[in-house]
Amino acid sequence: MRYISTRGEAPALGFEEVLLTGLATDGGLYVPESLPHFSLEEIRSWRGLPYAELAYNVMYPFVEDAIPADAFRKMLDETYSVFTHKAVAPLVQIDSNEWVMELFRGPTLAFKDFALQLLGRLLDYVLEKRNQHVVIMGATSGDTGSAAIEGCRRCKHVDIFILHPYQRVSEVQRRQMTTVQGDNIHNIAVKGNFDDCQRMVKESFGDQSFLGGKTQLAAVNSINWARIMAQIVYYFQASLSLGGPDRSMAFSVPTGNFGDIFAGYLAKKMGLPISQLVIATNRNDILHRFMSGNKYEQHQLEHTLSPSMDIMVSSNFERLLFDLHGRDGAAVKTLLENASKGPVSIEDYRWKHARKVFDSDAVDDKSTCDTIRDIFEQNEYLLDPHTAIGVQAARNCRRDLAVPMITLGTAHPAKFPDAIAESGLSLKPQLPAHMADLFEREERYTVLDNNLGEVHDFIAKHWKNA
Ligand SMILES: *Cc1c(COP(=O)(O)O)cnc(C)c1O
């Protein structure tokens, strides 16, 4: 399998290189040159498989040039055995033909564990083979950081530096990052917002001279193809559990960087019958504005009760734009260059093509809280604010009541106690037993100014062999 850039100029790469690269040299994102396609018969034959085996079937075509089948199976068994539910991604019914897929049974209680537990193992495997070291530099609005740190804490060949916006992640989220001990783990709190952190990471990939040529950067944010790949699997899992592929499914996905929902779009292209994908955003609604009015325009960042979705631009949206433009990298490049200067639209027929499967909605904090409260009062089931946005958007956008509607449950409610309190419920969500002492653990992080030079100096000084 070869991977090509969405901007059409960078060289095509194999899986190993794509895993280690991050952004393409032309500023684009890597996507598979072609996707594997599974027949209904083949998908049907996967019914009842344990999660790790299903994951093998769905993902092996993407990695087969780089990793022997046995090694990959072993990696997947290890990856998904750290989840605390035997089904790995269990479904919970919340109404007639309406479901939440709980993707928060991993070590950091958010769906990002699905990809990052695997990514850490993939990286160490490939780096061991190549006798190479990398510095991971990542930006987080909360959940990515802890999941990346948990995913890489045992990697021998990786130092990890995670930038989070100072005082802008929840205390649980911060502690999940800063209490992990390990001399290859470094937390940096930047006095800025998430987009400042993300911009620093992007610029660092463009010019890595601060590392003195002794190591190289690798990405763990959702521009890394391997993360998207791992997220395709649970769409198959949910569908197979509810009668797929012999009936189609609808998914509602709490969306920030467009990684998780893009994986759903790929599952559909790989043959899984999906009739609707709902892009659920909070007040940072650039994607909703695009989907409802074909206008792509950056607004000011707003801070909401769902911080993991507080972003101004969704990096992975570029991957969809690439497809919508018939995989013409030059067209994507021009469009995105224009988009950085002001509002842009795409040709009407391309936009209508996207609208065939994608719907969207933006849910504000008040409505998020109402949903948390309603679902709790109806079912005694507690949603986290991100998942609540997904559930509310699903209800507002539902096309066909006969099609199962599955909202991706992206985080455990105990990660966001403020939103639960705001919703008027008097209960305090409990952390699962294995994390009950989180507030007693010792924290370690460094606060730096919103200044790329300072961050570079820190990294250059602190990676293992510096
Ligand atoms: C990261 C995250 C999202 C957004 O996912 P994207 O892939 O960036 O769209 C939604 N909810 C939670 C809890 C998250 O951590």
Side-chain angles (χ1 to χ4, degrees):
M1 174 95 51
R2 307 287 293 167
Y3 293 84
I4 56 173
S5 165
T6 50
R7 302 213 182 166
E9 285 166 12
L13 300 178
F15 180 78
E16 262 182 45
E17 287 76 27
V18 161
L19 181 70
L20 297 172
T21 298
L23 270 191
T25 50
D26 58 7
L29 277 64
Y30 277 103
V31 290
E33 195 166 46
S34 63
L35 286 173
H37 191 276
F38 306 119
S39 67
L40 293 183
E41 200 183 345
E42 192 171 8
I43 297 170
R44 203 176 289 126
S45 76
W46 299 341
R47 274 190 191 144
L49 287 183
Y51 192 90
E53 279 180 49
L54 178 67
Y56 174 84
N57 290 336
V58 173
M59 286 192 275
Y60 196 58
F62 293 109
V63 306
E64 62 191 349
D65 302 335
I67 307 174
D70 287 354
F72 194 52
R73 279 185 199 278
K74 182 161 169 278
M75 216 181 280
L76 293 171
D77 282 342
E78 286 172 12
T79 298
Y80 297 108
S81 68
V82 303
F83 284 66
T84 59
H85 194 293
K86 199 80 171 66
V88 183
L91 288 164
V92 171
Q93 187 161 17
I94 54 166
D95 203 341
S96 329
N97 219 13
E98 210 188 326
W99 311 78
V100 168
M101 177 164 43
E102 295 189 337
L103 300 176
F104 47 76
R105 302 301 195 113
T108 71
L109 312 183
F111 81 92
K112 291 183 172 76
D113 288 326
F114 276 82
L116 287 161
Q117 282 296 314
L118 178 61
L119 186 65
R121 290 172 170 88
L122 283 167
L123 281 172
D124 231 28
Y125 179 88
V126 166
L127 292 168
E128 172 82 31
K129 187 165 101 178
R130 296 159 69 115
N131 191 21
Q132 204 178 322
H133 174 272
V134 297
V135 165
I136 283 177
M137 191 177 172
T140 189
S141 53
D143 296 329
T144 307
S146 52
I149 287 169
E150 280 290 346
C152 295
R153 64 191 296 184
R154 289 186 191 84
C155 293
K156 281 191 293 196
H157 305 277
V158 175
D159 277 280
I160 178 162
F161 293 80
I162 295 295
L163 281 54
H164 71 263
Y166 182 52
Q167 292 180 336
R168 292 221 191 274
V169 298
S170 79
E171 185 170 5
V172 176
Q173 287 181 314
R174 190 192 70 236
R175 287 181 165 275
Q176 281 186 316
M177 296 190 278
T178 58
T179 59
V180 179
Q181 304 299 321
D183 59 5
N184 66 337
I185 295 166
H186 310 272
N187 282 285
I188 301 174
V190 174
K191 291 183 181 163
N193 63 33
F194 170 63
D195 286 279
D196 295 325
C197 298
Q198 201 173 30
R199 198 174 324 110
M200 284 194 194
V201 173
K202 271 198 172 185
E203 283 175 22
S204 304
F205 274 87
D207 178 2
Q208 302 188 17
S209 54
F210 68 102
L211 294 171
K214 286 178 276 178
T215 180
Q216 69 170 100
L217 288 185
V220 289
N221 50 355
S222 57
I223 62 169
N224 190 308
W225 161 255
R227 278 188 57 183
I228 306 283
M229 173 183 87
Q231 291 167 197
I232 300 170
V233 179
Y234 43 70
Y235 288 90
F236 281 86
Q237 158 88 353
S239 166
L240 285 162
S241 304
L242 294 177
D246 296 309
R247 63 201 291 222
S248 68
M249 301 288 144
F251 289 92
S252 176
V253 187
T255 300
N257 256 324
F258 205 74
D260 212 5
I261 194 162
F262 185 70
Y265 163 83
L266 294 178
K268 177 178 168 66
K269 292 200 14 159
M270 288 160 68
L272 188 69
I274 293 177
S275 55
Q276 186 186 15
L277 288 166
V278 178
I279 300 169
T281 74
N282 61 24
R283 290 279 302 287
N284 297 289
D285 58 352
I286 182 168
L287 294 173
H288 172 56
R289 284 181 282 114
F290 174 78
M291 281 298 159
S292 49
N294 189 10
K295 190 164 147 199
Y296 190 72
E297 181 184 24
Q298 287 185 34
H299 283 181
Q300 273 291 324
L301 186 81
E302 302 215 24
H303 295 288
T304 72
L305 289 174
S306 43
S308 300
M309 292 154 61
D310 287 349
I311 49 101
M312 289 195 299
V313 268
S314 299
S315 14
N316 281 295
F317 193 56
E318 176 162 350
R319 289 182 155 123
L320 180 68
L321 288 172
F322 185 57
D323 271 13
L324 292 176
H325 287 80
R327 313 204 109 203
D328 176 352
V332 172
K333 186 167 180 233
T334 308
L335 181 76
L336 290 171
E337 279 167 5
N338 291 337
S340 65
K341 293 173 212 138
V344 292
S345 301
I346 65 175
E347 285 101 319
D348 195 53
Y349 76 96
R350 299 190 195 281
W351 177 75
K352 288 204 172 106
H353 186 71
R355 287 304 317 266
K356 274 191 202 149
V357 64
F358 287 106
D359 284 300
S360 68
D361 195 20
V363 179
D364 65 15
D365 279 351
K366 177 174 182 309
S367 177
T368 304
C369 289
D370 290 347
T371 306
I372 292 174
R373 199 179 50 248
D374 288 350
I375 297 286
F376 188 78
E377 282 169 0
Q378 289 156 9
N379 301 335
E380 290 200 18
Y381 185 68
L382 193 58
L383 298 173
D384 100 287
H386 306 80
T387 308
I389 287 172
V391 166
Q392 190 53 44
R395 292 180 168 186
N396 295 346
C397 298
R398 195 97 186 251
R399 289 185 191 175
D400 183 348
L401 294 174
V403 174
M405 172 57 86
I406 303 154
T407 294
L408 271 50
T410 51
H412 189 288
K415 289 190 94 163
F416 302 97
D418 295 351
I420 309 300
E422 193 108 350
S423 70
L425 296 173
S426 55
L427 80 173
K428 199 171 160 357
Q430 295 300 310
L431 285 165
H434 71 275
M435 242 180 241
D437 66 341
L438 185 67
F439 286 82
E440 279 94 67
R441 294 181 201 165
E442 190 195 334
E443 287 193 87
R444 229 165 35 121
Y445 64 101
T446 307
V447 183
L448 295 179
D449 283 336
N450 187 3
N451 176 314
L452 188 59
E454 256 186 56
V455 171
H456 282 176
D457 287 347
F458 183 85
I459 295 177
K461 248 186 241 134
H462 289 89
W463 72 275
K464 205 163 5 205
N465 299 326

